[in-house]
Short mmCIF file of all heavy atoms in Angstrom, two decimals:
data_model
loop_
_atom_site.label_atom_id
_atom_site.label_comp_id
_atom_site.label_asym_id
_atom_site.label_seq_id
_atom_site.Cartn_x
_atom_site.Cartn_y
_atom_site.Cartn_z
N TYR W 1 141.90 110.21 79.99
CA TYR W 1 140.76 111.01 80.14
C TYR W 1 139.55 110.10 80.17
O TYR W 1 139.58 108.96 79.70
CB TYR W 1 140.62 111.97 78.99
CG TYR W 1 140.46 111.32 77.63
CD1 TYR W 1 139.19 111.05 77.07
CD2 TYR W 1 141.54 110.93 76.91
CE1 TYR W 1 139.02 110.45 75.84
CE2 TYR W 1 141.45 110.34 75.67
CZ TYR W 1 140.22 110.07 75.17
OH TYR W 1 140.05 109.46 73.98
N ASP W 2 138.48 110.54 80.76
CA ASP W 2 137.18 109.87 80.81
C ASP W 2 136.32 110.29 79.64
O ASP W 2 135.93 111.44 79.49
CB ASP W 2 136.46 110.22 82.17
CG ASP W 2 135.22 109.37 82.38
OD1 ASP W 2 134.38 109.34 81.49
OD2 ASP W 2 135.09 108.74 83.45
N VAL W 3 136.07 109.29 78.75
CA VAL W 3 135.34 109.63 77.47
C VAL W 3 134.01 110.23 77.79
O VAL W 3 133.51 111.18 77.19
CB VAL W 3 135.21 108.36 76.66
CG1 VAL W 3 134.40 108.63 75.36
CG2 VAL W 3 136.54 107.81 76.21
N ASN W 4 133.24 109.58 78.71
CA ASN W 4 131.87 110.09 79.00
C ASN W 4 131.83 111.47 79.56
O ASN W 4 130.96 112.33 79.22
CB ASN W 4 131.18 109.11 79.99
CG ASN W 4 130.91 107.71 79.33
OD1 ASN W 4 130.68 107.64 78.16
ND2 ASN W 4 131.01 106.67 80.09
N VAL W 5 132.73 111.75 80.46
CA VAL W 5 132.86 113.13 81.04
C VAL W 5 133.19 114.12 79.98
O VAL W 5 132.53 115.20 79.92
CB VAL W 5 133.87 113.16 82.21
CG1 VAL W 5 134.13 114.58 82.62
CG2 VAL W 5 133.44 112.29 83.34
N PHE W 6 134.14 113.76 79.13
CA PHE W 6 134.51 114.67 78.03
C PHE W 6 133.39 114.92 77.06
O PHE W 6 133.15 116.12 76.76
CB PHE W 6 135.68 114.06 77.29
CG PHE W 6 136.22 114.88 76.12
CD1 PHE W 6 137.08 115.94 76.39
CD2 PHE W 6 135.79 114.66 74.84
CE1 PHE W 6 137.47 116.73 75.27
CE2 PHE W 6 136.22 115.44 73.77
CZ PHE W 6 137.11 116.48 74.03
N LEU W 7 132.67 113.90 76.71
CA LEU W 7 131.54 114.13 75.80
C LEU W 7 130.45 114.95 76.38
O LEU W 7 129.72 115.71 75.70
CB LEU W 7 131.01 112.78 75.29
CG LEU W 7 131.94 112.01 74.28
CD1 LEU W 7 131.36 110.63 73.96
CD2 LEU W 7 132.11 112.77 73.05
N THR W 8 130.26 114.78 77.68
CA THR W 8 129.17 115.54 78.37
C THR W 8 129.51 117.06 78.35
O THR W 8 128.72 117.88 78.09
CB THR W 8 129.08 115.10 79.85
OG1 THR W 8 128.69 113.73 79.88
CG2 THR W 8 128.06 115.87 80.59
N ILE W 9 130.76 117.38 78.61
CA ILE W 9 131.22 118.77 78.56
C ILE W 9 131.10 119.30 77.17
O ILE W 9 130.67 120.43 76.98
CB ILE W 9 132.63 118.85 79.14
CG1 ILE W 9 132.71 118.46 80.59
CG2 ILE W 9 133.20 120.27 78.89
CD1 ILE W 9 134.15 118.39 81.12
N LEU W 10 131.53 118.51 76.18
CA LEU W 10 131.42 118.89 74.80
C LEU W 10 130.07 119.21 74.39
O LEU W 10 129.75 120.13 73.63
CB LEU W 10 132.13 117.86 73.94
CG LEU W 10 132.69 118.26 72.54
CD1 LEU W 10 133.72 119.28 72.73
CD2 LEU W 10 133.26 117.02 71.91
N LYS W 11 129.14 118.33 74.80
CA LYS W 11 127.76 118.48 74.45
C LYS W 11 127.25 119.85 74.97
O LYS W 11 126.46 120.54 74.32
CB LYS W 11 126.93 117.31 74.97
CG LYS W 11 125.49 117.30 74.54
CD LYS W 11 124.81 116.01 74.97
CE LYS W 11 123.39 115.97 74.45
NZ LYS W 11 122.69 114.64 74.82
N GLN W 12 127.53 120.11 76.21
CA GLN W 12 127.07 121.42 76.81
C GLN W 12 127.62 122.60 76.04
O GLN W 12 126.88 123.55 75.78
CB GLN W 12 127.60 121.46 78.26
CG GLN W 12 126.94 120.50 79.23
CD GLN W 12 127.60 120.49 80.57
OE1 GLN W 12 128.65 121.09 80.82
NE2 GLN W 12 126.99 119.75 81.50
N ILE W 13 128.84 122.50 75.59
CA ILE W 13 129.45 123.63 74.82
C ILE W 13 128.72 123.81 73.47
O ILE W 13 128.36 124.94 73.07
CB ILE W 13 130.93 123.38 74.57
CG1 ILE W 13 131.71 123.49 75.93
CG2 ILE W 13 131.52 124.41 73.59
CD1 ILE W 13 133.19 122.99 75.86
N LEU W 14 128.47 122.70 72.81
CA LEU W 14 127.86 122.77 71.45
C LEU W 14 126.32 123.07 71.51
O LEU W 14 125.76 123.53 70.51
CB LEU W 14 128.15 121.46 70.74
CG LEU W 14 129.60 121.18 70.42
CD1 LEU W 14 129.73 119.90 69.60
CD2 LEU W 14 130.24 122.35 69.63
N ASN W 15 125.74 122.81 72.64
CA ASN W 15 124.33 123.11 72.76
C ASN W 15 124.08 124.55 73.23
O ASN W 15 122.89 125.01 73.23
CB ASN W 15 123.66 122.15 73.70
CG ASN W 15 123.36 120.74 73.06
OD1 ASN W 15 123.29 120.67 71.85
ND2 ASN W 15 123.27 119.68 73.85
N ASP W 16 125.11 125.22 73.66
CA ASP W 16 124.94 126.64 74.09
C ASP W 16 125.08 127.50 72.85
O ASP W 16 126.13 127.64 72.22
CB ASP W 16 126.06 126.90 75.09
CG ASP W 16 125.91 128.32 75.72
OD1 ASP W 16 125.12 129.15 75.20
OD2 ASP W 16 126.48 128.53 76.79
N LYS W 17 123.97 128.14 72.45
CA LYS W 17 123.98 128.91 71.27
C LYS W 17 124.92 130.08 71.28
O LYS W 17 125.31 130.56 70.26
CB LYS W 17 122.48 129.42 71.01
CG LYS W 17 121.53 128.25 70.67
CD LYS W 17 120.16 128.83 70.42
CE LYS W 17 119.18 127.68 70.06
NZ LYS W 17 117.84 128.21 69.78
N LYS W 18 125.29 130.54 72.51
CA LYS W 18 126.22 131.63 72.54
C LYS W 18 127.59 131.24 71.97
O LYS W 18 128.34 132.16 71.45
CB LYS W 18 126.41 132.04 74.05
CG LYS W 18 125.22 132.73 74.63
CD LYS W 18 125.50 133.22 76.05
CE LYS W 18 125.81 132.04 76.98
NZ LYS W 18 125.92 132.43 78.45
N ASN W 19 127.90 129.97 72.01
CA ASN W 19 129.17 129.59 71.43
C ASN W 19 129.15 129.37 69.92
O ASN W 19 130.23 129.18 69.30
CB ASN W 19 129.57 128.21 72.05
CG ASN W 19 129.84 128.31 73.52
OD1 ASN W 19 130.42 129.31 74.01
ND2 ASN W 19 129.44 127.30 74.34
N LEU W 20 127.96 129.50 69.33
CA LEU W 20 127.81 129.26 67.94
C LEU W 20 127.36 130.50 67.17
O LEU W 20 127.12 130.47 65.91
CB LEU W 20 126.75 128.13 67.64
CG LEU W 20 127.04 126.81 68.43
CD1 LEU W 20 125.84 125.81 68.10
CD2 LEU W 20 128.35 126.21 68.16
N VAL W 21 127.22 131.59 67.91
CA VAL W 21 126.61 132.82 67.32
C VAL W 21 127.36 133.38 66.14
O VAL W 21 126.74 134.00 65.22
CB VAL W 21 126.42 133.87 68.43
CG1 VAL W 21 127.74 134.39 68.87
CG2 VAL W 21 125.50 134.99 67.94
N ASN W 22 128.68 133.13 66.05
CA ASN W 22 129.50 133.74 65.01
C ASN W 22 129.60 132.81 63.79
O ASN W 22 130.32 133.19 62.81
CB ASN W 22 130.82 134.13 65.53
CG ASN W 22 130.80 135.24 66.55
OD1 ASN W 22 130.00 136.19 66.41
ND2 ASN W 22 131.63 135.18 67.58
N LEU W 23 128.95 131.70 63.81
CA LEU W 23 129.07 130.72 62.71
C LEU W 23 128.12 131.06 61.62
O LEU W 23 126.91 131.38 61.87
CB LEU W 23 128.84 129.35 63.25
CG LEU W 23 129.77 128.74 64.30
CD1 LEU W 23 129.39 127.33 64.66
CD2 LEU W 23 131.19 128.86 63.83
N ASN W 24 128.58 130.95 60.36
CA ASN W 24 127.63 131.09 59.23
C ASN W 24 126.78 129.82 59.08
O ASN W 24 127.01 128.84 59.74
CB ASN W 24 128.37 131.44 57.93
CG ASN W 24 129.42 130.37 57.54
OD1 ASN W 24 129.20 129.23 57.76
ND2 ASN W 24 130.50 130.81 56.91
N GLN W 25 125.85 129.78 58.11
CA GLN W 25 124.94 128.69 57.99
C GLN W 25 125.67 127.42 57.55
O GLN W 25 125.34 126.36 58.05
CB GLN W 25 123.93 129.01 56.89
CG GLN W 25 122.87 127.86 56.72
CD GLN W 25 121.85 128.27 55.69
OE1 GLN W 25 121.72 129.37 55.27
NE2 GLN W 25 120.96 127.31 55.30
N TYR W 26 126.71 127.56 56.71
CA TYR W 26 127.53 126.37 56.26
C TYR W 26 128.17 125.70 57.43
O TYR W 26 128.07 124.48 57.62
CB TYR W 26 128.50 126.84 55.25
CG TYR W 26 129.48 125.75 54.71
CD1 TYR W 26 129.00 124.60 54.12
CD2 TYR W 26 130.79 125.93 54.84
CE1 TYR W 26 129.80 123.64 53.67
CE2 TYR W 26 131.68 125.01 54.37
CZ TYR W 26 131.18 123.83 53.76
OH TYR W 26 132.02 122.85 53.31
N TYR W 27 128.82 126.51 58.31
CA TYR W 27 129.54 125.93 59.45
C TYR W 27 128.51 125.41 60.50
O TYR W 27 128.78 124.43 61.15
CB TYR W 27 130.41 127.02 60.10
CG TYR W 27 131.76 127.18 59.30
CD1 TYR W 27 132.60 128.26 59.63
CD2 TYR W 27 132.09 126.40 58.29
CE1 TYR W 27 133.76 128.49 58.93
CE2 TYR W 27 133.24 126.59 57.54
CZ TYR W 27 134.10 127.60 57.95
OH TYR W 27 135.28 127.79 57.23
N THR W 28 127.41 126.05 60.60
CA THR W 28 126.32 125.59 61.52
C THR W 28 125.84 124.20 61.20
O THR W 28 125.63 123.33 62.02
CB THR W 28 125.15 126.61 61.55
OG1 THR W 28 125.66 127.92 62.00
CG2 THR W 28 124.12 126.17 62.56
N GLU W 29 125.74 123.95 59.91
CA GLU W 29 125.22 122.68 59.39
C GLU W 29 126.29 121.57 59.70
O GLU W 29 125.94 120.48 60.05
CB GLU W 29 125.00 122.73 57.92
CG GLU W 29 123.75 123.55 57.51
CD GLU W 29 123.56 123.71 56.01
OE1 GLU W 29 124.46 123.21 55.26
OE2 GLU W 29 122.54 124.33 55.56
N ILE W 30 127.58 121.96 59.64
CA ILE W 30 128.60 121.00 59.97
C ILE W 30 128.54 120.63 61.46
O ILE W 30 128.68 119.48 61.84
CB ILE W 30 129.99 121.58 59.54
CG1 ILE W 30 130.10 121.66 58.05
CG2 ILE W 30 131.11 120.62 60.08
CD1 ILE W 30 131.43 122.26 57.59
N ILE W 31 128.29 121.66 62.24
CA ILE W 31 128.23 121.39 63.71
C ILE W 31 127.07 120.48 64.03
O ILE W 31 127.10 119.61 64.89
CB ILE W 31 128.02 122.78 64.51
CG1 ILE W 31 129.35 123.54 64.54
CG2 ILE W 31 127.50 122.54 65.94
CD1 ILE W 31 130.42 122.83 65.42
N ASP W 32 125.96 120.64 63.28
CA ASP W 32 124.77 119.74 63.45
C ASP W 32 125.17 118.28 63.12
O ASP W 32 124.77 117.36 63.85
CB ASP W 32 123.61 120.13 62.54
CG ASP W 32 123.04 121.44 62.98
OD1 ASP W 32 123.11 121.80 64.19
OD2 ASP W 32 122.33 122.10 62.19
N TYR W 33 126.00 118.10 62.08
CA TYR W 33 126.48 116.72 61.74
C TYR W 33 127.39 116.23 62.88
O TYR W 33 127.26 115.04 63.28
CB TYR W 33 127.25 116.75 60.46
CG TYR W 33 126.41 116.96 59.18
CD1 TYR W 33 126.84 117.83 58.19
CD2 TYR W 33 125.23 116.24 59.02
CE1 TYR W 33 126.07 118.04 57.08
CE2 TYR W 33 124.44 116.42 57.88
CZ TYR W 33 124.86 117.32 56.91
OH TYR W 33 124.09 117.51 55.76
N VAL W 34 128.23 117.08 63.33
CA VAL W 34 129.11 116.68 64.49
C VAL W 34 128.31 116.20 65.69
O VAL W 34 128.58 115.17 66.30
CB VAL W 34 130.06 117.87 64.85
CG1 VAL W 34 130.80 117.51 66.13
CG2 VAL W 34 131.02 118.17 63.72
N LYS W 35 127.34 117.04 66.06
CA LYS W 35 126.50 116.62 67.21
C LYS W 35 125.73 115.40 67.02
O LYS W 35 125.64 114.53 67.93
CB LYS W 35 125.47 117.79 67.50
CG LYS W 35 126.19 119.10 68.01
CD LYS W 35 125.32 120.32 67.93
CE LYS W 35 124.11 120.23 68.79
NZ LYS W 35 123.32 121.52 68.79
N GLU W 36 125.23 115.15 65.76
CA GLU W 36 124.48 113.97 65.50
C GLU W 36 125.35 112.71 65.62
O GLU W 36 124.94 111.70 66.17
CB GLU W 36 123.84 114.06 64.13
CG GLU W 36 123.06 112.85 63.71
CD GLU W 36 122.49 112.90 62.30
OE1 GLU W 36 122.62 114.04 61.69
OE2 GLU W 36 121.92 111.97 61.80
N ASP W 37 126.59 112.81 65.13
CA ASP W 37 127.53 111.66 65.17
C ASP W 37 128.04 111.44 66.55
O ASP W 37 128.24 110.23 66.92
CB ASP W 37 128.67 111.92 64.22
CG ASP W 37 128.24 111.85 62.73
OD1 ASP W 37 127.09 111.39 62.45
OD2 ASP W 37 129.07 112.18 61.89
N LEU W 38 128.30 112.48 67.35
CA LEU W 38 128.94 112.31 68.62
C LEU W 38 127.94 111.93 69.76
O LEU W 38 128.23 111.20 70.62
CB LEU W 38 129.76 113.52 69.05
CG LEU W 38 130.99 113.93 68.20
CD1 LEU W 38 131.62 115.17 68.78
CD2 LEU W 38 131.95 112.71 68.26
N PHE W 39 126.78 112.48 69.64
CA PHE W 39 125.82 112.41 70.73
C PHE W 39 124.58 111.52 70.47
O PHE W 39 123.72 111.39 71.31
CB PHE W 39 125.41 113.76 71.19
CG PHE W 39 126.55 114.77 71.45
CD1 PHE W 39 126.54 116.03 70.83
CD2 PHE W 39 127.58 114.36 72.20
CE1 PHE W 39 127.62 116.81 71.06
CE2 PHE W 39 128.72 115.24 72.34
CZ PHE W 39 128.68 116.51 71.79
N SER W 40 124.50 111.01 69.21
CA SER W 40 123.33 110.09 68.92
C SER W 40 123.89 109.00 68.02
O SER W 40 125.12 108.83 67.89
CB SER W 40 122.18 110.90 68.26
OG SER W 40 122.63 111.45 67.04
N LYS W 41 122.99 108.34 67.38
CA LYS W 41 123.42 107.16 66.56
C LYS W 41 124.08 107.58 65.25
O LYS W 41 124.67 106.81 64.57
CB LYS W 41 122.29 106.26 66.32
CG LYS W 41 121.71 105.57 67.54
CD LYS W 41 120.52 104.66 67.19
CE LYS W 41 119.97 103.93 68.44
NZ LYS W 41 118.88 103.03 68.19
#
């Protein structure tokens, strides 16, 4: 697999609020950590 292509698709999914609408605050905070680690420093 192409890492960059995969991460680009993953970023789009996690930045779409429709995909996160059913998450409670606790899980939303974990997603924020995931995004920070995968897509930034």
Side-chain angles (χ1 to χ4, degrees):
Y1 62 94
D2 187 307
V3 177
N4 293 326
V5 171
F6 179 81
L7 287 176
T8 298
I9 296 172
L10 203 58
K11 187 174 184 179
Q12 292 173 351
I13 293 171
L14 296 183
N15 284 337
D16 188 343
K17 293 183 179 180
K18 291 184 296 184
N19 295 321
L20 311 178
V21 68
N22 293 323
L23 301 182
N24 60 32
Q25 184 177 349
Y26 177 58
Y27 283 169
T28 300
E29 289 175 357
I30 294 177
I31 286 293
D32 288 340
Y33 289 136
V34 170
K35 290 165 64 176
E36 182 180 350
D37 288 349
L38 293 182
F39 310 131
S40 63
K41 293 182 179 180

